[in-house]
Amino acid sequence: QAHLVESGGGVIQPGGSLRLSCVASGFTFSKYGMHWVRQAPGKGLEWVAFIQYDGTRNYYADSVKGRFTISRDVSKDTLYLEMNSLRIEDTAVYYCAKPGAMTWYLQARGAVDCWGQGTLVTVSS
Amino acid sequence: QAVLTQPPSVSGAPGQRVTISCTGSSSNIGAGYDVHWYQQLPGTAPKLLIYDTNYRPSGVPDRFSGSKSGTSASLAITGLQPEDEAYYYCQSYDSPLSGSLFGGGTKLNVL
């Protein structure tokens, strides 16, 4: 049973930086690409970033491109999201999410079958 | 900018059938990419409801079904139950974006 646990959220001033972590268990982390998805308070889901299973390709939403960096450490079964130049509009619960597809080239476009509990990032002065 | 459009809310009485639409464009749903649906209860993470347009994960009742035509997709829920009251989100892949898109979400009210 796949399980994801995020951490690293908190209150940060505009322009600041924060790194989120997501520890994976219950599946072979090195075989799966991973997403970050966020949800602003009272709003819908927004895809943020995806990293390919081998870490060789990353993709970002336009809203975070150039400011956020997704990475992974397979030795620690951990996914990261480095967030710089944070803006008030980045305030959200951040979820890490695992695709259900086992075939690597289908993972970026496939459904998410496991979500973490989320970690809240609040950008405020 | 690519978007997936859902109605803000739909309503139905217990036992009735409702549908939730998800309208995209030629760069996502219309390009042939699958659509996935999620249910989200307040304060919880989303739960996968339908994947690859019309497949249900184990444990999801067959009251839930999905379909797709052209640039749109739909989630149908039959035999509405009070516990179905939740937010529902569609998701697809957008080629120019090289990433996922989520619809804005639909609140299902069970009257």
Side-chain angles (χ1 to χ4, degrees):
Chain A
Q1 181 88 359
H3 192 54
L4 301 168
V5 178
E6 303 95 336
S7 62
V11 181
I12 188 79
Q13 290 189 338
S17 298
L18 209 57
R19 188 178 82 158
L20 306 182
S21 300
C22 169
V23 177
S25 61
F27 66 100
T28 306
F29 181 68
S30 61
K31 293 187 177 181
Y32 286 86
M34 294 291 292
H35 297 275
W36 283 101
V37 177
R38 69 184 180 183
Q39 186 169 32
K43 302 297 183 182
L45 301 171
E46 180 188 16
W47 173 78
V48 173
F50 176 83
I51 184 168
Q52 195 166 279
Y53 76 102
D54 56 2
T56 58
R57 291 192 177 187
N58 306 330
Y59 303 96
Y60 299 92
D62 289 342
S63 58
V64 306
K65 200 172 293 183
R67 300 188 299 123
F68 289 12
T69 302
I70 188 172
S71 62
R72 62 194 299 157
D73 185 338
V74 295
S75 70
K76 297 180 179 179
D77 287 345
T78 301
L79 175 73
Y80 301 101
L81 186 67
E82 187 77 39
M83 304 184 295
N84 297 317
S85 302
L86 281 161
R87 304 168 180 168
I88 290 176
E89 56 264 34
D90 295 320
T91 294
V93 173
Y94 285 74
Y95 296 101
C96 66
K98 169 193 164 292
M102 294 183 66
T103 307
W104 70 270
Y105 56 86
L106 296 178
Q107 291 174 354
R109 65 187 67 170
V112 167
D113 70 349
C114 181
W115 300 73
Q117 85 287 353
T119 186
L120 176 62
V121 173
T122 302
V123 184
S124 174
S125 54
Chain B
Q1 187 171 351
V3 294
L4 298 179
T5 302
Q6 298 180 233
S9 67
V10 297
S11 299
Q16 285 189 333
R17 178 183 186 270
V18 297
T19 61
I20 299 173
S21 62
C22 174
T23 302
S25 66
S26 58
S27 65
N28 40 71
I29 299 176
Y33 294 110
D34 284 315
V35 180
H36 321 294
W37 291 91
Y38 302 87
Q39 178 192 63
Q40 188 178 34
L41 299 170
T44 69
K47 169 192 168 186
L48 181 61
L49 208 57
I50 296 288
Y51 67 97
D52 293 354
T53 302
N54 56 6
Y55 294 90
R56 287 184 309 276
S58 173
V60 174
D62 59 6
R63 301 187 296 105
F64 295 89
S65 63
S67 63
K68 184 177 79 166
S69 178
T71 58
S72 295
S74 291
L75 172 70
I77 309 171
T78 59
L80 267 182
Q81 299 182 2
E83 57 264 34
D84 296 334
E85 188 160 286
Y87 281 89
Y88 293 84
Y89 295 90
C90 62
Q91 178 203 9
S92 188
Y93 182 83
D94 188 80
S95 184
L97 177 64
S98 294
S100 275
L101 280 176
F102 285 95
T106 299
K107 174 70 189 302
L108 169 61
N109 298 298
V110 181
L111 306 172

